[in-house]
Amino acid sequence: MSAYEAAPAAGSTAAVPTHWYNIAADFPEPIPPHLHPGTKEPVTVEDLCGLFPRALAEQELSTERYIQIPREVRSVYGIWRGTPLIRASRLERALGTASQIFLKYEGVSPVGSHKPNSAVAQAYYNREEAITKLTTETGAGQWGSSLAFAGSLFGIDVEVWQVRASYESKPYRRYLMELYGGTVHSSPSELTEAGRAILESDSETTGSLGMAVSEAVEVALKDPAARYALGSVLNHVALHQTVIGQETIAQLARLGIGHADVVFGCAGGGSNLAGLSFPFLREVLMNKAKTRVIAAEPAACPSLTQGEYRYDFGDFSGMTPLLKMYTLGKDFVPDPIHAGGLRYHGMAPALSHAVHLGLVDAVAIEQTTAFHAGILLARTEGIVPAPESTHALAAAFQYLAHSDRAETIVIGVSGHGQLDLPSYQGFLESYQPPVG
Ligand SMILES: *Cc1c(COP(=O)(O)O)cnc(C)c1O
C-alpha cells in the first residue's frame, strides 16, 4: 500500500496530541541534574526563573509523565500539524532495500522545520507571565525565525544573535526573521560584554552557538521584562518536540504497523531526535519494544561519538547552568559547515542520558555523504531536505546498505532545504563524481 498520511483540514487540531510526553518519568535512572554555575548545587525552579518563565522552569525539572498542551498552543500547532508521514517507496526502490521507509516530515511548518513546535510553546508561556521581550541565539536561522514567528503571534519582541558564519552566508533566514518582526544581530556583536570580550581576543572568529547563547543570556538577565529562549538542548524543548514521535506512532498504527525497527534522526542539540524518538523509547522502556534509535551527527561536530560525557556549560562564557552531556567543550568552534543547526558543542542532557544508558546509538556523517543522501531524496521523493536532515538520511542509507532484513525504518526529516539551495548548488558545482 502506498501510504501518505495527509494532515487534516487546516485549522483542525484533530491530529495534534493533547499532551507532551516527558521521558524523565520513565528513565530507569534519573537524568543527572543541571547544576547552578555558582554553587554547583542542583538548580531549582527559582534559580531558572530569572532566565525562563516559571512554567518552563517547572517543565525543565518536571518528572510528570504527560504534560497537557495548552489549548492556544494546540490551536497554533493545528496550522501545520499533524505533519505528513510519507511512505518513501520510490526511495526504497532506488536504494534496492527490502525495508519500508517512512519519512516523518517537519518541513511543512511555517518556517520549514520542527523548531516552531517549541517556539510557539515558549512564546505562549512567556506571554502568560507578561514577558514582553525574548532574546535568543540562532545558527542557520531556523530557530530565530521560529521564535520570531511565534513572537509575532503572541505579541512578544524577539531579538536574535545569529552566528556570524550563517549571518553572512544565509541572508534569507535573516530576511525571514525580520519579516516576522524580529531584530537580528551578527554574533559575536559589540552590543554585549560577552561579545566584546570575544571580538577583542579574536576579531575574525566565525562565531559559534555557544557565543551567541552568551550574548542572548546576558541581555535577558539585564532586563526584567525580558527572558531568554533556547531552541534545543534543554529538557523542556525536547518535551515540546514529542508531538513528532507521538504522531508518528499513531500514524503507523493507522497503517496497521505497531512497531518500528529503527528510528533515525539528525542531532545538533538533540531536540528533533528526542522529540521523534522518546515516545518510541517509552515503548522500549515500558513494553519491551525492540526499537533501535540512531543519532546522526556531523563528522565536523561529533559530540556524541567523540565528546566526553561530563558537566559542561551550555554557552561559551559560562553563564548557563552546568549540564551533564556529551560535549566537545564549550570553547569548541566547529568549521562553518552547511548544516548550521548541527554546530553545537554539546548535546541535550536527556538525549545524552539515553545514549549513556545504551538506548540510543550515534554515528558521525561526513558532509559529502550527507549531501548525496539529500540529493537522492530530492530526486526520488521530491523533497529537498534541510542540510541538517540529510545526516539522518545518510545514516539510514548506510544502515540499509549493510542490512538485508525487511524492516520498518522511520527517518526524521527535520526540515526542508529550500533556503539552503546555495549550499546544494555549491556542492553540485564542486563535486567530481568518481570515474569508472
Ligand atoms: C536546528 C535544526 C536541527 C538541529 O537541532 P536539534 O535540536 O538537534 O533538532 C536539525 N534540523 C533542522 C532542520 C534544524 O533547523
Side-chain angles (χ1 to χ4, degrees):
M1 177 168 75
S2 162
Y4 173 85
E5 282 282 308
S12 155
T13 54
V16 182
T18 55
H19 292 71
W20 292 301
Y21 166 60
N22 183 8
I23 198 171
D26 290 324
F27 272 133
E29 297 162 29
I31 304 171
H34 310 334
L35 303 181
H36 188 283
T39 64
K40 308 280 189 305
E41 293 293 320
V43 294
T44 61
V45 169
E46 288 317 312
D47 293 334
L48 293 175
C49 278
L51 213 48
F52 304 113
R54 176 168 296 272
L56 293 175
E58 286 171 358
Q59 288 178 6
E60 186 60 25
L61 304 187
S62 170
T63 53
E64 199 180 318
R65 181 168 292 117
Y66 287 106
I67 295 176
Q68 189 159 18
I69 304 175
R71 191 187 48 79
E72 263 183 272
V73 174
R74 274 189 89 219
S75 153
V76 177
Y77 281 173
I79 297 173
W80 72 94
R81 307 209 70 85
T83 60
L85 184 74
I86 300 162
R87 170 77 189 276
S89 48
R90 291 164 195 83
L91 175 63
E92 289 165 16
R93 282 201 291 280
L95 293 170
T97 178
S99 290
Q100 297 194 330
I101 301 175
F102 292 92
L103 308 172
K104 180 59 170 170
Y105 185 44
E106 291 293 305
V108 296
S109 83
V111 309
S113 77
H114 65 286
K115 290 205 171 73
N117 296 331
S118 187
V120 169
Q122 293 190 44
Y124 166 83
Y125 287 116
N126 276 283
R127 198 272 327 262
E128 287 296 279
E129 296 182 29
I131 298 304
T132 55
K133 175 169 150 178
L134 280 170
T135 67
T136 197
E137 75 296 323
T138 197
Q142 287 275 19
W143 171 246
S145 49
S146 300
L147 197 66
F149 156 63
S152 75
L153 298 182
F154 291 100
I156 293 178
D157 290 333
V158 173
E159 196 168 351
V160 184
W161 274 262
Q162 182 171 24
V163 176
R164 181 194 273 176
S166 298
Y167 183 91
E168 287 170 0
S169 69
K170 302 201 165 181
Y172 289 126
R173 287 234 169 67
R174 171 159 57 86
Y175 304 158
L176 192 57
M177 290 185 259
E178 290 171 353
L179 189 154
Y180 284 124
T183 307
V184 189
H185 314 290
S186 174
S187 170
S189 74
E190 295 284 353
L191 299 166
T192 64
E193 281 173 40
R196 286 190 294 271
I198 295 162
L199 286 172
E200 207 158 288
S201 66
D202 179 7
S203 63
E204 297 300 303
T205 178
T206 53
S208 72
L209 280 171
M211 294 177 192
V213 175
S214 292
E215 295 200 271
V217 166
E218 182 184 321
V219 172
L221 287 176
K222 284 183 177 158
D223 180 350
R227 291 290 182 277
Y228 166 68
L230 188 61
S232 184
V233 183
L234 293 176
N235 297 336
H236 67 269
V237 184
L239 175 80
H240 300 152
Q241 295 296 349
T242 58
V243 289
I244 304 173
Q246 294 184 76
E247 278 179 18
T248 307
I249 290 172
Q251 288 167 313
L252 287 172
R254 260 179 268 141
L255 299 171
I257 301 172
H259 171 81
D261 293 292
V262 197
V263 173
F264 292 89
C266 65
S271 73
N272 87 85
L273 178 59
L276 174 63
S277 67
F278 284 180
F280 283 96
L281 288 183
R282 173 172 158 73
E283 299 304 312
V284 171
L285 291 167
M286 295 296 111
N287 301 322
K288 302 203 161 42
K290 291 271 183 293
T291 305
R292 285 184 65 195
V293 177
I294 299 184
E297 60 181 11
C301 194
S303 44
L304 289 171
T305 53
Q306 305 280 319
E308 286 179 71
Y309 186 48
R310 62 171 169 87
Y311 276 100
D312 194 9
F313 290 103
D315 70 321
F316 180 82
S317 305
M319 282 186 275
T320 67
L322 284 156
L323 308 174
K324 180 84 181 263
M325 59 184 177
Y326 284 92
T327 177
L328 295 161
K330 67 177 177 49
D331 304 326
F332 182 81
V333 180
D335 284 344
I337 55 169
H338 292 289
L342 304 184
R343 293 176 80 237
Y344 184 67
H345 66 275
M347 189 57 67
L351 188 68
S352 292
H353 189 56
V355 169
H356 185 66
L357 294 174
L359 294 164
V360 174
D361 295 318
V363 293
I365 302 289
E366 296 291 342
Q367 181 162 270
T368 308
T369 313
F371 269 123
H372 277 295
I375 289 167
L376 182 62
L377 183 68
R379 292 180 184 175
T380 51
E381 302 291 337
I383 292 171
V384 179
E388 291 84 356
S389 316
T390 61
H391 292 73
L393 293 158
F397 299 174
Q398 282 182 358
Y399 173 88
L400 291 168
H402 295 105
S403 159
D404 44 23
R405 283 190 290 258
E407 295 182 312
T408 300
I409 305 291
V410 174
I411 308 174
V413 179
S414 51
H416 73 65
Q418 302 223 347
L419 296 186
D420 304 283
L421 290 177
S423 300
Y424 276 100
Q425 186 60 19
F427 174 75
L428 288 171
E429 282 168 2
S430 68
Y431 177 67
Q432 304 291 330
V435 187

